[in-house]
């Protein structure tokens, strides 16, 4: 499995990658995870008889995915890609490069709507693989809802967290406490978010939490807010 270079935050693709690897290994399938652009796929340095049967790529938006895809093709190793696709200005690869990946792999969108976008943009028929959920993280039914709103995600411009925090200046809204959970980038946008949140007593910022710790917040929140500029369909 190959994903974007290691980063300090936990993103949805990284969670999906780690959980997919865990469950494949539970089925007896050996999984090697790598963030390298051009790893050796020929088995060099591995145990005798070891070989790579398939490369699983994640995301169409990064230039690293193009390098990983071309590396797999140069080794004659077939590839699949969990596309996580929504054509937008945040993509680091050109449309032509995204098309090269999507058409050269088996595309694995996570919804019918995403599959339709791949067909419209790249003339690709993907195989839908929906996002799963670990049953162990689902709280028991009947738990008491608490009086707070919840946001979970990166603290960045794409997620429009600053607009969310500013909305909580409205006296009619700020009567409901807002809990923010997510990784803050060390940039001017994140600083503005944290400064604005600190000025509003009904906003509580908890930073980034492990996925396993989120279930109780989802279960307890009265409402969940998702003001993102865009998400995959």
């Amino acid at each position: 499995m190959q994903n974007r270079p290691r980063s300090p935050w936990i993103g949805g693709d990284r969670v999906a990658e780690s959980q997919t690897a865990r469950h494949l290994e539970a089925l007896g399938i050996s999984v090697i995870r790598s963030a390298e652009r051009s790893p050796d796929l020929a088995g060099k340095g591995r145990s005798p008889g070891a070989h790579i049967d398939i490369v699983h790529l994640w995301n169409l938006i990064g230039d690293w995915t193009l390098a990983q895809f071309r590396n797999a093709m140069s080794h004659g190793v077939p590839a699949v890609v969990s596309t996580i696709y929504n054509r937008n200005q945040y993509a680091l690869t050109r449309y032509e490069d995204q098309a090269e990946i999507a058409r050269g792999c088996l595309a694995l969108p996570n919804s019918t709507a995403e599959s339709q976008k791949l067909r419209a943009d790249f003339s690709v028929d993907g195989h839908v693989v929906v996002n799963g959920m670990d049953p162990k993280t689902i709280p028991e039914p009947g738990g008491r809802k608490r009086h707070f709103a919840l946001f979970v995600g990166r603290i960045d411009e794409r997620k429009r967290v600053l607009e969310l925090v500013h909305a909580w200046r409205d006296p009619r809204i700020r009567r409901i406490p807002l809990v923010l959970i997510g990784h803050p980038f060390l940039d001017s946008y994140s600083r503005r978010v944290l400064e604005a949140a600190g000025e509003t007593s009904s906003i509580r910022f908890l930073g980034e939490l492990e996925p396993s710790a989120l279930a109780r917040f989802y279960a307890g929140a009265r409402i969940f807010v998702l003001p993102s500029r865009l998400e995959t369909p």
Side-chain angles (χ1 to χ4, degrees), residues 148-172:
F148 71 90
L150 176 67
F151 167 84
V152 178
R154 296 190 308 273
I155 309 300
D156 69 2
E157 185 177 3
R158 174 174 168 175
K159 301 296 184 181
R160 297 181 68 188
V161 192
L162 186 60
E163 289 89 334
L164 175 62
V165 170
H166 284 168
W168 245 253
R169 293 174 174 172
D170 188 322
R172 297 168 298 175

PDB file of all heavy atoms in Angstrom, residues 148-172:
ATOM      1  N   PHE A 148     -24.174  19.905  22.888  1.00  0.00           N
ATOM      2  CA  PHE A 148     -23.054  20.550  22.214  1.00  0.00           C
ATOM      3  C   PHE A 148     -23.041  20.175  20.741  1.00  0.00           C
ATOM      4  O   PHE A 148     -23.587  19.142  20.337  1.00  0.00           O
ATOM      5  CB  PHE A 148     -21.714  20.204  22.878  1.00  0.00           C
ATOM      6  CG  PHE A 148     -21.231  18.780  22.685  1.00  0.00           C
ATOM      7  CD1 PHE A 148     -20.430  18.439  21.602  1.00  0.00           C
ATOM      8  CD2 PHE A 148     -21.563  17.796  23.601  1.00  0.00           C
ATOM      9  CE1 PHE A 148     -19.974  17.148  21.432  1.00  0.00           C
ATOM     10  CE2 PHE A 148     -21.110  16.484  23.444  1.00  0.00           C
ATOM     11  CZ  PHE A 148     -20.298  16.158  22.361  1.00  0.00           C
ATOM     12  N   ALA A 149     -22.427  21.046  19.946  1.00  0.00           N
ATOM     13  CA  ALA A 149     -22.216  20.797  18.517  1.00  0.00           C
ATOM     14  C   ALA A 149     -20.781  20.320  18.333  1.00  0.00           C
ATOM     15  O   ALA A 149     -19.881  20.733  19.074  1.00  0.00           O
ATOM     16  CB  ALA A 149     -22.472  22.058  17.709  1.00  0.00           C
ATOM     17  N   LEU A 150     -20.547  19.481  17.340  1.00  0.00           N
ATOM     18  CA  LEU A 150     -19.244  18.853  17.164  1.00  0.00           C
ATOM     19  C   LEU A 150     -18.721  19.060  15.750  1.00  0.00           C
ATOM     20  O   LEU A 150     -19.449  18.877  14.766  1.00  0.00           O
ATOM     21  CB  LEU A 150     -19.348  17.348  17.443  1.00  0.00           C
ATOM     22  CG  LEU A 150     -18.102  16.500  17.211  1.00  0.00           C
ATOM     23  CD1 LEU A 150     -16.998  16.862  18.207  1.00  0.00           C
ATOM     24  CD2 LEU A 150     -18.436  15.008  17.311  1.00  0.00           C
ATOM     25  N   PHE A 151     -17.447  19.450  15.664  1.00  0.00           N
ATOM     26  CA  PHE A 151     -16.719  19.459  14.393  1.00  0.00           C
ATOM     27  C   PHE A 151     -15.490  18.587  14.543  1.00  0.00           C
ATOM     28  O   PHE A 151     -14.751  18.700  15.522  1.00  0.00           O
ATOM     29  CB  PHE A 151     -16.271  20.877  13.994  1.00  0.00           C
ATOM     30  CG  PHE A 151     -15.262  20.882  12.877  1.00  0.00           C
ATOM     31  CD1 PHE A 151     -15.665  20.812  11.558  1.00  0.00           C
ATOM     32  CD2 PHE A 151     -13.896  20.920  13.155  1.00  0.00           C
ATOM     33  CE1 PHE A 151     -14.728  20.774  10.523  1.00  0.00           C
ATOM     34  CE2 PHE A 151     -12.958  20.894  12.133  1.00  0.00           C
ATOM     35  CZ  PHE A 151     -13.374  20.822  10.815  1.00  0.00           C
ATOM     36  N   VAL A 152     -15.254  17.696  13.557  1.00  0.00           N
ATOM     37  CA  VAL A 152     -14.056  16.860  13.537  1.00  0.00           C
ATOM     38  C   VAL A 152     -13.417  16.981  12.163  1.00  0.00           C
ATOM     39  O   VAL A 152     -14.060  16.709  11.143  1.00  0.00           O
ATOM     40  CB  VAL A 152     -14.378  15.376  13.828  1.00  0.00           C
ATOM     41  CG1 VAL A 152     -13.105  14.528  13.747  1.00  0.00           C
ATOM     42  CG2 VAL A 152     -15.030  15.215  15.195  1.00  0.00           C
ATOM     43  N   GLY A 153     -12.159  17.401  12.110  1.00  0.00           N
ATOM     44  CA  GLY A 153     -11.469  17.531  10.827  1.00  0.00           C
ATOM     45  C   GLY A 153     -10.219  18.379  10.976  1.00  0.00           C
ATOM     46  O   GLY A 153      -9.947  18.930  12.045  1.00  0.00           O
ATOM     47  N   ARG A 154      -9.459  18.468   9.908  1.00  0.00           N
ATOM     48  CA  ARG A 154      -8.274  19.314   9.932  1.00  0.00           C
ATOM     49  C   ARG A 154      -8.676  20.779  10.118  1.00  0.00           C
ATOM     50  O   ARG A 154      -9.700  21.211   9.600  1.00  0.00           O
ATOM     51  CB  ARG A 154      -7.470  19.161   8.634  1.00  0.00           C
ATOM     52  CG  ARG A 154      -6.901  17.786   8.395  1.00  0.00           C
ATOM     53  CD  ARG A 154      -5.918  17.810   7.221  1.00  0.00           C
ATOM     54  NE  ARG A 154      -6.496  18.416   6.024  1.00  0.00           N
ATOM     55  CZ  ARG A 154      -7.209  17.750   5.120  1.00  0.00           C
ATOM     56  NH1 ARG A 154      -7.462  16.470   5.288  1.00  0.00           N
ATOM     57  NH2 ARG A 154      -7.687  18.371   4.050  1.00  0.00           N
ATOM     58  N   ILE A 155      -7.831  21.511  10.809  1.00  0.00           N
ATOM     59  CA  ILE A 155      -8.083  22.944  10.977  1.00  0.00           C
ATOM     60  C   ILE A 155      -7.392  23.651   9.818  1.00  0.00           C
ATOM     61  O   ILE A 155      -6.268  24.132   9.920  1.00  0.00           O
ATOM     62  CB  ILE A 155      -7.544  23.451  12.340  1.00  0.00           C
ATOM     63  CG1 ILE A 155      -8.039  22.565  13.474  1.00  0.00           C
ATOM     64  CG2 ILE A 155      -7.960  24.904  12.556  1.00  0.00           C
ATOM     65  CD1 ILE A 155      -9.551  22.491  13.606  1.00  0.00           C
ATOM     66  N   ASP A 156      -8.072  23.687   8.684  1.00  0.00           N
ATOM     67  CA  ASP A 156      -7.486  24.342   7.514  1.00  0.00           C
ATOM     68  C   ASP A 156      -8.585  25.009   6.690  1.00  0.00           C
ATOM     69  O   ASP A 156      -9.781  24.875   6.982  1.00  0.00           O
ATOM     70  CB  ASP A 156      -6.649  23.369   6.682  1.00  0.00           C
ATOM     71  CG  ASP A 156      -7.467  22.304   5.955  1.00  0.00           C
ATOM     72  OD1 ASP A 156      -8.715  22.329   6.053  1.00  0.00           O
ATOM     73  OD2 ASP A 156      -6.865  21.448   5.297  1.00  0.00           O
ATOM     74  N   GLU A 157      -8.155  25.746   5.671  1.00  0.00           N
ATOM     75  CA  GLU A 157      -9.085  26.565   4.896  1.00  0.00           C
ATOM     76  C   GLU A 157     -10.128  25.727   4.181  1.00  0.00           C
ATOM     77  O   GLU A 157     -11.298  26.131   4.061  1.00  0.00           O
ATOM     78  CB  GLU A 157      -8.303  27.411   3.889  1.00  0.00           C
ATOM     79  CG  GLU A 157      -9.157  28.391   3.106  1.00  0.00           C
ATOM     80  CD  GLU A 157      -8.336  29.265   2.171  1.00  0.00           C
ATOM     81  OE1 GLU A 157      -7.107  29.070   2.100  1.00  0.00           O
ATOM     82  OE2 GLU A 157      -8.936  30.143   1.529  1.00  0.00           O
ATOM     83  N   ARG A 158      -9.730  24.566   3.685  1.00  0.00           N
ATOM     84  CA  ARG A 158     -10.672  23.720   2.953  1.00  0.00           C
ATOM     85  C   ARG A 158     -11.863  23.322   3.824  1.00  0.00           C
ATOM     86  O   ARG A 158     -12.982  23.199   3.337  1.00  0.00           O
ATOM     87  CB  ARG A 158      -9.952  22.474   2.438  1.00  0.00           C
ATOM     88  CG  ARG A 158     -10.869  21.452   1.794  1.00  0.00           C
ATOM     89  CD  ARG A 158     -10.081  20.322   1.175  1.00  0.00           C
ATOM     90  NE  ARG A 158     -10.932  19.218   0.806  1.00  0.00           N
ATOM     91  CZ  ARG A 158     -10.523  18.142   0.163  1.00  0.00           C
ATOM     92  NH1 ARG A 158      -9.254  18.020  -0.175  1.00  0.00           N
ATOM     93  NH2 ARG A 158     -11.349  17.162  -0.138  1.00  0.00           N
ATOM     94  N   LYS A 159     -11.622  23.152   5.119  1.00  0.00           N
ATOM     95  CA  LYS A 159     -12.691  22.743   6.037  1.00  0.00           C
ATOM     96  C   LYS A 159     -13.532  23.929   6.523  1.00  0.00           C
ATOM     97  O   LYS A 159     -14.513  23.733   7.222  1.00  0.00           O
ATOM     98  CB  LYS A 159     -12.091  22.010   7.247  1.00  0.00           C
ATOM     99  CG  LYS A 159     -11.294  20.766   6.898  1.00  0.00           C
ATOM    100  CD  LYS A 159     -12.140  19.690   6.259  1.00  0.00           C
ATOM    101  CE  LYS A 159     -11.348  18.417   6.014  1.00  0.00           C
ATOM    102  NZ  LYS A 159     -12.147  17.359   5.369  1.00  0.00           N
ATOM    103  N   ARG A 160     -13.126  25.135   6.206  1.00  0.00           N
ATOM    104  CA  ARG A 160     -13.864  26.368   6.519  1.00  0.00           C
ATOM    105  C   ARG A 160     -14.148  26.500   8.021  1.00  0.00           C
ATOM    106  O   ARG A 160     -15.233  26.910   8.436  1.00  0.00           O
ATOM    107  CB  ARG A 160     -15.179  26.396   5.725  1.00  0.00           C
ATOM    108  CG  ARG A 160     -14.992  26.420   4.220  1.00  0.00           C
ATOM    109  CD  ARG A 160     -16.302  26.475   3.489  1.00  0.00           C
ATOM    110  NE  ARG A 160     -16.981  27.750   3.707  1.00  0.00           N
ATOM    111  CZ  ARG A 160     -18.227  27.986   3.305  1.00  0.00           C
ATOM    112  NH1 ARG A 160     -18.917  27.056   2.699  1.00  0.00           N
ATOM    113  NH2 ARG A 160     -18.761  29.165   3.521  1.00  0.00           N
ATOM    114  N   VAL A 161     -13.138  26.197   8.817  1.00  0.00           N
ATOM    115  CA  VAL A 161     -13.322  26.232  10.268  1.00  0.00           C
ATOM    116  C   VAL A 161     -13.431  27.667  10.770  1.00  0.00           C
ATOM    117  O   VAL A 161     -14.159  27.944  11.731  1.00  0.00           O
ATOM    118  CB  VAL A 161     -12.171  25.496  10.982  1.00  0.00           C
ATOM    119  CG1 VAL A 161     -12.496  25.276  12.450  1.00  0.00           C
ATOM    120  CG2 VAL A 161     -11.892  24.148  10.321  1.00  0.00           C
ATOM    121  N   LEU A 162     -12.723  28.597  10.133  1.00  0.00           N
ATOM    122  CA  LEU A 162     -12.793  29.987  10.571  1.00  0.00           C
ATOM    123  C   LEU A 162     -14.212  30.529  10.412  1.00  0.00           C
ATOM    124  O   LEU A 162     -14.723  31.232  11.298  1.00  0.00           O
ATOM    125  CB  LEU A 162     -11.807  30.844   9.776  1.00  0.00           C
ATOM    126  CG  LEU A 162     -11.669  32.301  10.239  1.00  0.00           C
ATOM    127  CD1 LEU A 162     -11.202  32.362  11.692  1.00  0.00           C
ATOM    128  CD2 LEU A 162     -10.693  33.055   9.328  1.00  0.00           C
ATOM    129  N   GLU A 163     -14.861  30.209   9.299  1.00  0.00           N
ATOM    130  CA  GLU A 163     -16.235  30.638   9.095  1.00  0.00           C
ATOM    131  C   GLU A 163     -17.149  30.042  10.158  1.00  0.00           C
ATOM    132  O   GLU A 163     -18.081  30.697  10.643  1.00  0.00           O
ATOM    133  CB  GLU A 163     -16.724  30.226   7.699  1.00  0.00           C
ATOM    134  CG  GLU A 163     -16.092  31.010   6.560  1.00  0.00           C
ATOM    135  CD  GLU A 163     -14.806  30.374   6.041  1.00  0.00           C
ATOM    136  OE1 GLU A 163     -14.145  29.649   6.811  1.00  0.00           O
ATOM    137  OE2 GLU A 163     -14.475  30.599   4.867  1.00  0.00           O
ATOM    138  N   LEU A 164     -16.873  28.783  10.533  1.00  0.00           N
ATOM    139  CA  LEU A 164     -17.660  28.131  11.577  1.00  0.00           C
ATOM    140  C   LEU A 164     -17.495  28.855  12.916  1.00  0.00           C
ATOM    141  O   LEU A 164     -18.478  29.140  13.615  1.00  0.00           O
ATOM    142  CB  LEU A 164     -17.236  26.675  11.706  1.00  0.00           C
ATOM    143  CG  LEU A 164     -17.871  25.860  12.839  1.00  0.00           C
ATOM    144  CD1 LEU A 164     -19.377  25.761  12.654  1.00  0.00           C
ATOM    145  CD2 LEU A 164     -17.234  24.471  12.908  1.00  0.00           C
ATOM    146  N   VAL A 165     -16.251  29.159  13.262  1.00  0.00           N
ATOM    147  CA  VAL A 165     -15.984  29.849  14.528  1.00  0.00           C
ATOM    148  C   VAL A 165     -16.633  31.234  14.535  1.00  0.00           C
ATOM    149  O   VAL A 165     -17.216  31.654  15.539  1.00  0.00           O
ATOM    150  CB  VAL A 165     -14.461  29.948  14.764  1.00  0.00           C
ATOM    151  CG1 VAL A 165     -14.144  30.873  15.929  1.00  0.00           C
ATOM    152  CG2 VAL A 165     -13.880  28.559  15.023  1.00  0.00           C
ATOM    153  N   HIS A 166     -16.558  31.931  13.409  1.00  0.00           N
ATOM    154  CA  HIS A 166     -17.182  33.250  13.334  1.00  0.00           C
ATOM    155  C   HIS A 166     -18.697  33.157  13.495  1.00  0.00           C
ATOM    156  O   HIS A 166     -19.333  34.067  14.057  1.00  0.00           O
ATOM    157  CB  HIS A 166     -16.843  33.914  12.012  1.00  0.00           C
ATOM    158  CG  HIS A 166     -15.447  34.450  11.961  1.00  0.00           C
ATOM    159  ND1 HIS A 166     -14.844  34.862  10.796  1.00  0.00           N
ATOM    160  CD2 HIS A 166     -14.521  34.637  12.944  1.00  0.00           C
ATOM    161  CE1 HIS A 166     -13.614  35.280  11.054  1.00  0.00           C
ATOM    162  NE2 HIS A 166     -13.401  35.158  12.355  1.00  0.00           N
ATOM    163  N   ALA A 167     -19.304  32.074  13.002  1.00  0.00           N
ATOM    164  CA  ALA A 167     -20.747  31.903  13.148  1.00  0.00           C
ATOM    165  C   ALA A 167     -21.140  31.822  14.612  1.00  0.00           C
ATOM    166  O   ALA A 167     -22.243  32.220  14.995  1.00  0.00           O
ATOM    167  CB  ALA A 167     -21.203  30.644  12.409  1.00  0.00           C
ATOM    168  N   TRP A 168     -20.217  31.332  15.447  1.00  0.00           N
ATOM    169  CA  TRP A 168     -20.499  31.179  16.871  1.00  0.00           C
ATOM    170  C   TRP A 168     -20.455  32.506  17.630  1.00  0.00           C
ATOM    171  O   TRP A 168     -20.677  32.540  18.819  1.00  0.00           O
ATOM    172  CB  TRP A 168     -19.550  30.157  17.492  1.00  0.00           C
ATOM    173  CG  TRP A 168     -20.307  28.944  17.976  1.00  0.00           C
ATOM    174  CD1 TRP A 168     -20.570  28.596  19.267  1.00  0.00           C
ATOM    175  CD2 TRP A 168     -20.913  27.939  17.169  1.00  0.00           C
ATOM    176  NE1 TRP A 168     -21.315  27.434  19.312  1.00  0.00           N
ATOM    177  CE2 TRP A 168     -21.532  27.004  18.031  1.00  0.00           C
ATOM    178  CE3 TRP A 168     -21.008  27.727  15.786  1.00  0.00           C
ATOM    179  CZ2 TRP A 168     -22.224  25.891  17.575  1.00  0.00           C
ATOM    180  CZ3 TRP A 168     -21.707  26.622  15.320  1.00  0.00           C
ATOM    181  CH2 TRP A 168     -22.297  25.721  16.207  1.00  0.00           C
ATOM    182  N   ARG A 169     -20.203  33.604  16.916  1.00  0.00           N
ATOM    183  CA  ARG A 169     -20.303  34.926  17.540  1.00  0.00           C
ATOM    184  C   ARG A 169     -21.758  35.368  17.677  1.00  0.00           C
ATOM    185  O   ARG A 169     -22.073  36.268  18.459  1.00  0.00           O
ATOM    186  CB  ARG A 169     -19.527  35.949  16.712  1.00  0.00           C
ATOM    187  CG  ARG A 169     -18.014  35.730  16.699  1.00  0.00           C
ATOM    188  CD  ARG A 169     -17.345  36.690  15.741  1.00  0.00           C
ATOM    189  NE  ARG A 169     -15.881  36.605  15.814  1.00  0.00           N
ATOM    190  CZ  ARG A 169     -15.052  37.224  14.974  1.00  0.00           C
ATOM    191  NH1 ARG A 169     -15.550  37.980  14.002  1.00  0.00           N
ATOM    192  NH2 ARG A 169     -13.751  37.094  15.110  1.00  0.00           N
ATOM    193  N   ASP A 170     -22.611  34.740  16.881  1.00  0.00           N
ATOM    194  CA  ASP A 170     -24.033  35.067  16.927  1.00  0.00           C
ATOM    195  C   ASP A 170     -24.607  34.611  18.270  1.00  0.00           C
ATOM    196  O   ASP A 170     -24.522  33.425  18.609  1.00  0.00           O
ATOM    197  CB  ASP A 170     -24.754  34.359  15.771  1.00  0.00           C
ATOM    198  CG  ASP A 170     -26.212  34.794  15.626  1.00  0.00           C
ATOM    199  OD1 ASP A 170     -26.881  35.000  16.658  1.00  0.00           O
ATOM    200  OD2 ASP A 170     -26.669  34.894  14.477  1.00  0.00           O
ATOM    201  N   PRO A 171     -25.208  35.524  19.052  1.00  0.00           N
ATOM    202  CA  PRO A 171     -25.740  35.155  20.369  1.00  0.00           C
ATOM    203  C   PRO A 171     -26.752  34.016  20.318  1.00  0.00           C
ATOM    204  O   PRO A 171     -26.863  33.230  21.256  1.00  0.00           O
ATOM    205  CB  PRO A 171     -26.401  36.453  20.859  1.00  0.00           C
ATOM    206  CG  PRO A 171     -25.728  37.541  20.084  1.00  0.00           C
ATOM    207  CD  PRO A 171     -25.401  36.948  18.750  1.00  0.00           C
ATOM    208  N   ARG A 172     -27.478  33.904  19.197  1.00  0.00           N
ATOM    209  CA  ARG A 172     -28.481  32.850  19.085  1.00  0.00           C
ATOM    210  C   ARG A 172     -27.831  31.481  18.931  1.00  0.00           C
ATOM    211  O   ARG A 172     -28.424  30.460  19.285  1.00  0.00           O
ATOM    212  CB  ARG A 172     -29.401  33.122  17.884  1.00  0.00           C
ATOM    213  CG  ARG A 172     -30.222  34.393  17.987  1.00  0.00           C
ATOM    214  CD  ARG A 172     -30.867  34.712  16.656  1.00  0.00           C
ATOM    215  NE  ARG A 172     -29.851  34.944  15.625  1.00  0.00           N
ATOM    216  CZ  ARG A 172     -30.136  35.146  14.334  1.00  0.00           C
ATOM    217  NH1 ARG A 172     -31.402  35.151  13.929  1.00  0.00           N
ATOM    218  NH2 ARG A 172     -29.169  35.354  13.464  1.00  0.00           N
TER     219      ARG A 172
END
